[in-house]
Amino acid sequence: MKNIDKNFAKIVTVIFNPFLVITGALILGNLMWVELKTGPVIFIIAVLIFLPFIIYTLKVSATKKNFWHPHNLLREERHSIYLFGIYVSLAVTLAFGYINEIYWMMHGILAFLLISLLYIVNKYLDKASVHTAVFCFSVFYLTDKLDTSFGLFLIALPIIMWARVTLHQHTWIQLFLGIVIGMSVGLLSWLI
């Protein structure tokens, strides 16, 4: 039974991978932009999501022997990834500001806030869960951009939390820190 729980927890962790969740939320929440002006969406996904994903993957592969074995980076190992994300989000914000794409510049600012808060909490408090932060942000983002019924997706939050605890990747406090960060920045996304 314990093996079945761990395998199910691994599946949940992969399905709700922060890089996949945020990519899906950006595309779904901006379908009009995807149809009319694909450039900004592709740029955001390529630079703001894919580049940090590559850095994360390289960091994980450098810190363990078996890539497919679940491994959560330690607090200290996350600092460089968060700092890279902060610099990339600033670059995205400046680039969109330069070409006067205010809507997408605001997305860069949201990414900067989300990553900066994760970095600060990680550095000074505890290792906040990126899974719960990105999931909560994405639900709030889609609730505003598309329909309030997307808020019902929050019922998946306990399953994500259970999976992360079952895999010994986070404590309950770390999960709640991620939730607070994700919901806070998600509420700010309603301003754009």
Side-chain angles (χ1 to χ4, degrees), residues 17-31 33-35 37-55 84-85 88-89 91-93 96 104-105 107-108 111 115 137-138 141:
N17 176 296
F19 295 105
L20 295 175
V21 169
I22 197 74
T23 301
L26 276 171
I27 291 171
L28 194 57
N30 295 287
L31 283 176
W33 281 89
V34 173
E35 291 174 4
K37 241 178 163 178
T38 57
V41 178
I42 292 171
F43 181 76
I44 287 271
I45 291 170
V47 175
L48 202 52
I49 298 169
F50 190 65
L51 282 178
F53 174 72
I54 290 171
I55 299 299
F84 180 76
V88 167
S89 62
V92 165
T93 302
F96 281 124
W104 291 107
M105 183 186 83
H107 281 77
I115 298 166
F137 169 80
S138 297
Y141 181 82

Side-chain angles (χ1 to χ4, degrees), residues 20-91:
L20 295 175
V21 169
I22 197 74
T23 301
L26 276 171
I27 291 171
L28 194 57
N30 295 287
L31 283 176
M32 179 183 70
W33 281 89
V34 173
E35 291 174 4
L36 299 175
K37 241 178 163 178
T38 57
V41 178
I42 292 171
F43 181 76
I44 287 271
I45 291 170
V47 175
L48 202 52
I49 298 169
F50 190 65
L51 282 178
F53 174 72
I54 290 171
I55 299 299
Y56 172 79
T57 304
L58 291 173
K59 188 79 163 180
V60 167
S61 63
T63 59
K64 64 182 192 161
K65 294 176 184 165
N66 179 359
F67 184 78
W68 297 109
H69 177 61
H71 176 74
N72 203 2
L73 294 174
L74 302 173
R75 280 176 66 184
E76 301 77 32
E77 295 170 331
R78 292 172 169 230
H79 293 325
S80 59
I81 296 168
Y82 287 137
L83 288 172
F84 180 76
I86 289 168
Y87 294 132
V88 167
S89 62
L90 279 174

Side-chain angles (χ1 to χ4, degrees), residues 130-165:
V130 178
H131 274 80
T132 57
V134 168
F135 179 76
C136 288
F137 169 80
S138 297
V139 169
F140 275 72
Y141 181 82
L142 289 173
T143 298
D144 177 56
K145 298 287 177 240
L146 295 177
D147 190 75
T148 55
S149 62
F150 275 91
L152 294 174
F153 279 104
L154 286 175
I155 62 172
L157 194 55
I159 297 167
I160 297 168
M161 295 170 72
W162 166 84
R164 303 305 288 159
V165 169

